Structures are given as structure tokens and as C-alpha cells.
């Protein structure tokens, strides 16, 4: 069971990595058009699933479902924007600061408590951010800001999903997100629309597939294995993205970049392991 969970998480990390690569390769297109195709592609999977299983598309907590979708859309757009300015591995690492923001929001909105050791690990992760921007002069500030604000909205997504709880099917939650993202992304892309040609069509259509299966296999992995054993493996995406970014896009990582990314990932992995082992 554990081996299968590990395999599923690795597949998820690979799928997320190729999603990042595809988005990066579409740098000549607007972020809004990329969001539109990313969302439409996933709807080809979510809508048939809900209809086949006779699950209501409306959901039970419409207000929270819309709120989660808006937060998710803002996070996705900002992350895609960040990929236009900084290396993929750096952007992914900064986006993964989201659990830190989620924990902070949980203290204020859900009245949850955070252990002292968790604060230390959060500080370790944030020290990685400081190393990245403070010591790596090659990083563009726009990309860092976009990625960090993306992480803030992702943190709000986590909190909203916690509020939704088991009241709505996970695919209903994702379907709401994709419908709203497609509508808003499509509307915002009208003025800057560029018709894809040739292989670009395949790239656009692949966005939704990679995004869907990345989420699907991550969910399956979390269902099969214990969180403290499986969750840290999602950070393989950072390593995979750095490797492919270097080979495919000739992205360079300075020593400070590698150190900063290492501190971020270490702090977040230690937080997951500590939090779960003491439950």
C-alpha cells in the first residue's frame, strides 16, 4: 500500500512538473488565455465524472465554493505570471510557502493552535525566501512578488476548503474552480487573444490533462499513505522542475538560489513530519 502511495505521489509530482513546463513554454500568450485553456481542459474530466455518478453540479455551500474558486483563480494567475519572470524551480518553491500562510490564517479564522516547533520551521522556510531575494541579485523582484502573493491566495484556498469540509464532493469543488476560471480567464483574454497554431494547440489542450491527473494522483496517494510519509514527496516537484528547467529552458540556479530553495523545502517538510507525528 505504501509503495503504491509513493508511486502515485511521484506521478503527481511529474504531472505538476510538466504542467509548469507547458505554461513556461507558452510565454508568448497571455496568462489569461493560458488559464482559460487550463480550465477548459480539466472540465473535460470533471463534468463527465459528476454526470456519470449523478452528483449535483450546484454543490451545497455555493458561497464557499465560489470563494474558494476566486482564491484559487487569483493564486493560479499570479503563479503563471511569476513564471514569466523567474526560473520555474524558484517560482514553485515560493508558491509552496502557502502552508505557512494557511497556518497563520487558521490561527485567526479557525482558532487553531500552532506548536512552537512549527513556528521555528516556518521561520526556516521564510529564511529561504530571504536568501533567495536578499542574496540572489539575479532574481527579478516582480516574479518573487507574484509567487509570494500566489502563495497567500493558495493559503486562503486551504482554509476555505477546510470550511467546506465533507459537505461537498471534491470533484464538485474542483469543477466550480474550473468553471469560474474558464469564464473569467476567457473574458480577460479576449482583447489579447492569439490563435494557437500547430503544436501549440496540443500544448494548450494538454494543460488541463496534466493539471487534472496531478491533482487526482496526489489525492489517491494521500488516501493510501500516512500524511507524514507521503506529503513530503510532493516537494519532488521542485527538484523535477529545476532539472527540466535547466535542461529545457537553460535556466540557471546560483548557489544562493539552491540554498534558498533548500531552506524553504526543508522547513516545510519538517513541519509536515512534526505536525503529523505528534497527532
Amino acid at each position: 500500500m505504501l509503495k503504491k502511495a509513493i508511486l502515485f505521489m511521484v506521478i503527481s509530482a511529474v504531472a505538476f512538473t510538466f504542467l509548469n513546463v507547458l505554461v513556461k513554454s507558452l510565454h508568448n500568450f497571455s496568462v489569461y488565455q493560458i488559464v482559460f485553456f487550463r480550465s477548459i481542459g480539466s472540465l473535460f474530466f470533471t463534468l463527465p465524472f459528476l454526470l456519470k455518478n449523478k452528483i449535483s453540479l450546484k454543490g451545497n455551500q455555493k458561497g464557499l465554493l465560489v470563494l474558494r474558486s476566486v482564491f484559487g483563480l487569483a493564486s493560479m494567475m499570479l503563479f503563471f505570471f511569476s513564471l514569466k519572470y523567474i526560473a520555474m524551480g524558484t517560482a514553485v518553491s515560493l508558491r509552496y510557502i502557502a502552508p505557512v500562510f494557511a497556518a497563520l490564517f487558521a490561527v485567526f479564522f479557525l482558532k487553531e493552535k500552532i506548536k512552537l516547533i512549527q513556528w521555528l520551521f516556518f521561520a526556516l522556510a521564510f529564511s529561504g525566501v530571504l536568501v533567495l531575494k536578499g542574496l540572489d541579485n539575479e532574481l527579478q523582484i516582480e516574479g518573487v512578488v507574484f509567487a509570494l502573493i500566489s502563495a497567500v491566495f493558495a493559503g486562503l484556498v486551504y482554509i476555505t476548503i477546510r470550511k467546506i469540509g465533507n459537505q461537498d464532493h471534491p470533484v464538485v469543488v474542483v469543477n466550480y474552480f474550473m468553471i469560474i476560471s474558464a469564464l473569467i480567464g476567457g473574458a480577460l483574454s479576449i482583447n489579447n487573444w492569439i490563435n494557437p497554431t500547430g503544436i501549440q494547440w496540443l500544448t494548450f489542450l494538454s494543460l488541463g490533462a496534466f493539471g487534472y491527473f496531478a491533482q487526482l494522483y496526489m489525492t489517491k496517494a494521500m488516501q493510501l499513505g500516512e500524511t507524514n510519509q507521503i506529503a513530503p514527496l510532493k516537494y519532488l516537484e521542485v527538484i523535477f522542475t529545476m532539472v527540466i528547467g535547466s535542461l529545457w529552458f537553460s535556466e540557471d540556479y546560483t548557489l544562493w538560489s539552491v540554498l534558498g530553495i533548500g531552506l524553504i523545502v526543508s522547513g516545510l517538510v519538517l513541519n509536515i513530519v512534526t505536525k503529523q507525528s505528534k497527532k
Side-chain angles (χ1 to χ4, degrees):
M1 194 74 76
L2 178 58
K3 287 183 178 179
K4 184 175 288 188
I6 292 173
L7 175 62
F8 285 162
M9 189 57 91
V10 172
I11 292 174
S12 172
V14 171
F16 272 125
T17 298
F18 278 102
L19 174 61
N20 298 334
V21 170
L22 293 179
V23 171
K24 186 83 170 181
S25 69
L26 294 168
H27 59 88
N28 290 327
F29 294 85
S30 74
V31 164
Y32 309 121
Q33 190 170 342
I34 295 173
V35 166
F36 172 75
F37 278 102
R38 157 75 175 88
S39 306
I40 288 293
S42 289
L43 286 174
F44 281 110
F45 296 95
T46 58
L47 283 174
F49 176 88
L50 294 174
L51 294 174
K52 179 183 178 181
N53 292 280
K54 297 180 180 180
I55 300 172
S56 173
L57 303 179
K58 296 180 179 179
N60 299 313
Q61 302 186 80
K62 299 177 182 63
L64 285 175
L65 288 169
V66 171
L67 193 61
R68 178 261 180 268
S69 300
V70 172
F71 288 152
L73 174 59
S75 179
M76 178 167 58
M77 281 186 174
L78 288 163
F79 175 67
F80 288 173
F81 271 120
S82 74
L83 291 177
K84 290 181 176 291
Y85 294 94
I86 56 179
M88 291 189 299
T90 304
V92 170
S93 301
L94 291 170
R95 185 189 61 183
Y96 271 136
I97 290 288
V100 179
F101 291 119
L104 294 174
F105 292 140
V107 171
F108 292 103
F109 298 121
L110 303 180
K111 307 303 179 184
E112 294 184 1
K113 293 182 179 180
I114 299 178
K115 302 180 181 71
L116 177 60
I117 190 66
Q118 286 180 264
W119 286 112
L120 293 175
F121 292 146
F122 290 160
L124 178 63
F126 266 111
S127 71
V129 177
L130 296 176
V131 168
L132 273 174
K133 189 56 213 127
L135 298 176
D136 189 348
N137 296 323
E138 296 182 14
L139 275 185
Q140 289 183 268
I141 186 64
E142 295 94 335
V144 174
V145 171
F146 283 140
L148 285 176
I149 300 178
S150 170
V152 172
F153 279 106
L156 290 170
V157 167
Y158 296 156
I159 296 301
T160 311
I161 290 176
R162 292 278 294 282
K163 292 288 287 184
I164 293 172
N166 297 320
Q167 298 302 308
D168 280 295
H169 193 284
V171 179
V172 172
V173 178
V174 174
N175 195 60
Y176 254 83
F177 175 30
M178 292 297 103
I179 289 176
I180 290 177
S181 296
L183 291 174
I184 296 178
L188 292 175
S189 65
I190 291 175
N191 291 333
N192 297 300
W193 184 272
I194 300 175
N195 286 325
T197 59
I199 193 68
Q200 291 174 342
W201 276 111
L202 178 61
T203 302
F204 269 118
L205 295 174
S206 298
L207 291 174
F210 278 114
Y212 177 79
F213 284 108
Q215 292 284 351
L216 175 65
Y217 279 100
M218 182 175 69
T219 302
K220 286 186 174 185
M222 298 297 282
Q223 290 173 334
L224 290 175
E226 293 184 14
T227 303
N228 64 325
Q229 293 177 315
I230 302 303
L233 293 175
K234 69 182 179 181
Y235 296 106
L236 285 172
E237 179 191 348
V238 176
I239 299 172
F240 293 159
T241 302
M242 290 177 68
V243 171
I244 293 183
S246 298
L247 297 175
W248 197 323
F249 298 106
S250 299
E251 293 180 338
D252 293 323
Y253 292 91
T254 66
L255 178 61
W256 292 119
S257 290
V258 175
L259 177 60
I261 290 170
L263 289 172
I264 291 172
V265 173
S266 297
L268 296 174
V269 169
L270 286 170
N271 173 63
I272 292 173
V273 174
T274 302
K275 183 178 179 181
Q276 294 298 322
S277 62
K278 291 189 175 183
K279 282 188 175 181

